[in-house]
Amino acid sequence: MRDLAGAVAGLDTAIRAALGSVRNGASHFYANFGGLSYDEIGDGRSAVLVAASPQALTEDGEFAEGIVAMMFDLALAAAVRSVVGKERRFPTVSLKIEYLRHPVRAEKLVCRAATAHRIGDLAAADARLETEDGRLVALATGRFLLLRPKPGTGFPLYPWESDPPRVLDFGDLSPLEREIRSFLLADIERWTTTSGVHRQIHRIDVAGSDGRAEARQPVGPHLANRNGNVQGGILTGLLGEACAHAARTSDPELSLVSLQSTFLRPGMLSGSALAAKASTVFTGRRLACVSGEVFDDSGECLVRGEALFTASGRPR
């Protein structure tokens, strides 16, 4: 493996920069560490950007499912947030992603979202994911449940209003920040590559056979959103990993066409691991459909969803 020490030093700097961004009031750690940033926010519209980096890519050089799902979730939520204000709570109810190109390979991605409509306590927004040169990669729709703010809650800043990030010195890290850093750098000796380490650094393990698969991810404070729960994009990404592995046990060349998640309850950080379990429900000559669920380690179902795959090469 090439230049492990240099790669680790770069990731350590990225971790401490992400922790500095969280301190400044930016979005949660997972998004900052993945390199996601906000742009063009206001009047029901938003944009989220990400550049290719080791922590955003898989070992195959593709943007990880969790990064793509998080981009959509953050952009959709930011569009809604710019309309409903800082005090309102609005958990994600559902997220549906339709791919035109998969796997996703690019130097930079831009996700643009706009609030579509609001009916009672439900808000909906649409988004599109493009490469830097304007090629359309995927479309998504998200629905959010608008809740009244709890007394004493709310955020003093929108994530996009935070100060520029700074890299924290190791001596300045709090005990929780040191725990996050140690967790992410704990298994370096097991790494097989340093060019795309998303699955390795988050310890996502996937296994399966005969149309079934399970993807597991340890729970840690690095997964928390600003409300202290596991971010919805992380849950959707883990579901996508399990569904893809289940489908490809019969045909390794299948390409993801759509991924839909319905969120049943918040993912808490009290357990030790999340588990996504997927099962192929239909396989035809050109299509395969997989259903899946994400559980915490107490057996509570957090997310239900399904994925559609095509055997006709890369979607166009």
Side-chain angles (χ1 to χ4, degrees), residues 136-223:
L136 184 60
V137 174
L139 302 169
T141 299
R143 288 178 170 79
F144 303 86
L145 183 63
L146 303 178
L147 303 176
R148 294 180 179 179
K150 295 180 179 179
T153 62
F155 304 108
L157 294 173
Y158 291 117
W160 51 89
E161 292 177 335
S162 61
D163 293 332
R166 65 184 181 91
V167 179
L168 299 178
D169 293 331
F170 179 77
D172 293 334
L173 299 180
S174 69
L176 178 60
E177 290 167 341
R178 293 190 183 198
E179 179 184 349
I180 291 174
R181 176 183 176 275
S182 297
F183 180 95
L184 293 174
L185 296 177
D187 281 352
I188 293 172
E189 67 278 0
R190 296 175 52 199
W191 291 7
T192 57
T193 179
T194 58
S195 59
V197 301
H198 180 86
R199 291 190 184 115
Q200 296 178 112
I201 201 165
H202 294 294
R203 299 186 224 168
I204 299 172
D205 292 320
V206 191
S209 62
D210 300 324
R212 297 177 180 272
E214 180 173 336
R216 296 185 63 84
Q217 181 171 2
V219 170
H222 64 295
L223 300 184

Side-chain angles (χ1 to χ4, degrees), residues 51-119:
S53 66
Q55 57 267 32
L57 302 178
T58 70
E59 57 272 22
D60 299 317
E62 308 161 3
F63 276 98
E65 298 296 346
I67 293 294
V68 173
M70 183 175 296
M71 285 192 77
F72 275 123
D73 196 31
L74 289 183
L76 292 162
V80 174
R81 174 72 71 189
S82 71
V83 174
V84 303
K86 299 175 183 176
E87 303 302 320
R88 204 73 181 260
R89 295 181 297 132
F90 51 96
T92 308
V93 175
S94 65
L95 176 64
K96 184 175 183 179
I97 303 172
E98 301 278 356
Y99 285 96
L100 285 81
R101 302 173 185 273
H102 195 275
V104 181
R105 292 189 175 95
E107 290 299 316
K108 183 179 290 186
L109 296 174
V110 182
C111 184
R112 293 185 172 87
T115 302
H117 58 266
R118 175 178 170 182
I119 302 176

